[in-house]
Amino acid sequence: MRDIPTGARIAVVGAVVGAGACALPVLRQGVPWAAVALLAGLYALCEWPPRCPVLAGKVSVPIAPGSFFPVLLAAAFLLPPAAAALVAVPGALIAYVEEEPRRVRRVWRAAQLAIAASAAAGAHVLLGGREALGGRGAATAPDFPYALLPAGAAALVFCLVLTALDGLILATAERRPPRTAWRGLLLRSLAPHCVHGLAGLMMAVLWRSGFGPPAALFVLLPMYISCWVFAQYHRERAAHRATIRALVQAVDIKDRYTRGHSERVGRASEMIARELGMEEGRLEVIRFAGILHDVGKLGVPTRVLRKDGPLTPEERAVIELHPEYGHEMVRGIGFLGEARAAILHHHERLDGSGYPYGLAGGQIPEAARVVAVADAFDAMTSTRSYRRARPVAAAVTELQRCAGAQFDPRMVGGLVRALSRYGWHVEVTADEPGPAARGNLPPPGPVKAPAVPAGPVADLLPTPPANGRFSPLADVAEPGPRPRPEPGLPGPRPSNAQGA
């Protein structure tokens, strides 16, 4: 708990206290303990396989929580609010958790689900849902369609409580702005919780029927099928990430001077996108765009990337083709979405002087404008073998100076706000051992001061300019604009005379 922000600790303790208050009435109420034990054991059994040493990795199980919410909603339909709160606790405490601190996350999840189940049960009782379910025997059949109303209200309350608490922990633990912490949570959760509510209602009706609790277990079959589909989806996403890691490792091996640059640009791009309030679904795509922005260097000859002397104009033209090479490499990877356009256009500039096509202003895709700022920021603040890193404050000042001409001011502002909120720590990016490159510290030994005035920021290349001097911010001469493409056309590619 010591590493958790104070606000998050207060939220966790408050949730635990709230869950205890929800469950406290069981001490003075008549509670069907057999039903509580059976439903709690069933929910725990559903959440247990991912942690079982024998079954883990051998069966298709859900990767994220929520797949077995119908059991909790069935408990909310069948039990008093205090008893429904108890059903969620054992399963939440043994559920699989990927990230640290696992114990705190499990306690938070148990408290969150207990409060949500209790609130859902209260809403269900308030609307007469217990009577609408009927009882054992055909004489007291469920009152359809009215039974759908209290069940739907309970599922809605369950969803509202969970999303409210999810937003609270995002705002306190990850320090997200309140306007973005809750954005989109309810809309993304509403449809799945409605489906869970219908499945929970089916379990409750079968439970109260003449066949008794064993009949309700048949609902677990379609639930486990949905879990299998969910697990397959996550396996596919894991394969996507593995593909991206392989591409990034290939770039790092080929261009050793920018090792780690891709991951940091991806992280900075995600920070900017999150600060701008982009939807969760876009954040991962923007991060992929930042990670893969230099994948086109795989198409650049290694002798050019690792050249120790100055680049000739022809060699510089070859390196300037890397956005187009990168776009060609990833154009068939469908899950990248708008990241492909960002890879192609991350060297465009607002004033139209960038490359490869000289796009200007709103012609440049939004994702490319995000990656351009993240790329330039990391290029300035990371240490390379031939020059030291610039302090974060100096890099931010230069980005602000170039905003409006080279960079989108919105993206620069988003980065500044994200840095003030989270800070920035640079890892080793060159073949230099030791912590010299961490935290924007210069490498050991004397470093020559810049000999030329600062110009607009450009992406760093692994070779010094012909005069042997470095601009404080750019290691390459600024390329001139290329002919702009006609609308809807890909634009001209450089001739062989400009290339290798």
Side-chain angles (χ1 to χ4, degrees), residues 110-461:
Q112 182 186 30
L113 292 177
I115 295 172
S118 177
H124 191 257
V125 171
L126 186 63
L127 295 176
R130 192 71 53 82
E131 294 76 14
L133 285 179
R136 297 184 181 278
T140 54
D143 183 10
F144 283 109
Y146 178 76
L148 295 174
L149 176 62
L156 178 60
V157 169
F158 188 83
C159 177
L160 288 172
V161 172
L162 287 183
T163 53
L165 293 175
D166 281 339
L168 175 64
I169 202 66
L170 289 175
T172 55
E174 299 186 11
R175 296 187 178 93
R176 295 190 190 180
R179 63 185 178 85
T180 60
W182 281 275
R183 179 176 296 175
L185 285 177
L186 180 60
L187 292 179
R188 290 195 302 271
S189 304
L190 191 57
H193 282 90
C194 288
V195 175
H196 293 159
L198 288 174
L201 179 61
M202 187 185 307
M203 285 191 68
V205 169
L206 290 173
W207 188 290
R208 296 286 293 270
S209 71
F211 298 101
L217 298 180
F218 286 105
V219 180
L220 290 178
L221 179 59
M223 286 172 54
Y224 232 94
I225 292 175
S226 69
C227 291
W228 180 84
V229 174
F230 188 70
Q232 297 302 110
Y233 164 73
H234 276 272
R235 287 194 183 96
E236 183 178 353
R237 291 188 59 174
H240 294 168
R241 294 191 181 98
T243 300
I244 290 174
R245 282 197 302 271
L247 289 172
V248 171
Q249 288 172 357
V251 174
D252 286 347
I253 290 172
K254 187 166 187 177
D255 188 5
R256 63 180 182 271
Y257 293 105
T258 57
R259 186 167 301 156
H261 172 66
S262 299
E263 288 83 354
R264 292 193 304 276
V265 173
R267 186 170 75 242
S269 299
E270 184 179 9
M271 289 168 61
I272 296 171
R274 189 181 299 280
E275 198 64 34
L276 295 178
M278 294 186 183
E279 298 178 355
E280 283 294 325
R282 289 188 71 190
L283 293 180
E284 186 174 43
V285 174
I286 296 294
R287 183 170 63 86
F288 286 163
I291 291 174
L292 294 175
H293 74 286
D294 274 345
V295 70
K297 286 185 177 180
L298 292 174
V300 177
T302 305
R303 61 176 177 80
V304 176
L305 288 177
R306 297 188 178 183
K307 185 177 180 182
D308 293 329
L311 294 175
T312 65
E314 291 77 14
E315 290 169 337
R316 190 174 303 281
V318 170
I319 289 186
E320 290 175 7
L321 288 173
H322 79 269
E324 295 175 278
Y325 290 152
H327 182 260
E328 288 297 321
M329 290 177 185
V330 303
R331 68 185 306 172
I333 305 179
F335 70 87
L336 288 178
E338 62 179 324
R340 292 171 292 185
I343 293 169
L344 178 62
H345 296 296
H346 71 277
H347 279 296
E348 306 285 3
R349 301 184 177 186
L350 253 61
D351 60 6
S353 63
Y355 64 92
Y357 301 138
L359 302 183
Q363 294 178 313
I364 306 172
E366 186 178 38
R369 283 177 270 153
V370 171
V371 174
V373 172
D375 185 21
F377 174 75
D378 183 70
M380 287 188 283
T381 57
S382 44
T383 296
R384 304 292 169 85
S385 61
Y386 46 83
R387 64 101 180 96
R388 66 178 180 177
R390 300 218 7 129
V392 169
V396 168
T397 299
E398 183 63 16
L399 288 172
Q400 291 173 329
R401 187 180 72 82
C402 296
Q406 182 173 348
F407 303 113
D408 189 326
R410 286 180 60 241
M411 311 310 172
V412 175
L415 177 63
V416 172
R417 293 193 299 273
L419 291 174
S420 65
R421 191 184 308 278
Y422 303 109
W424 184 256
H425 301 281
V426 178
E427 298 175 355
V428 176
T429 59
D431 293 335
E432 301 177 4
R438 188 179 302 276
N440 301 310
L441 296 177
V447 180
K448 293 183 179 180
V452 295
V457 181
D459 187 24
L460 299 181
L461 297 175

Side-chain angles (χ1 to χ4, degrees), residues 1 123 239 484 491:
M1 288 284 284
R484 298 189 184 185

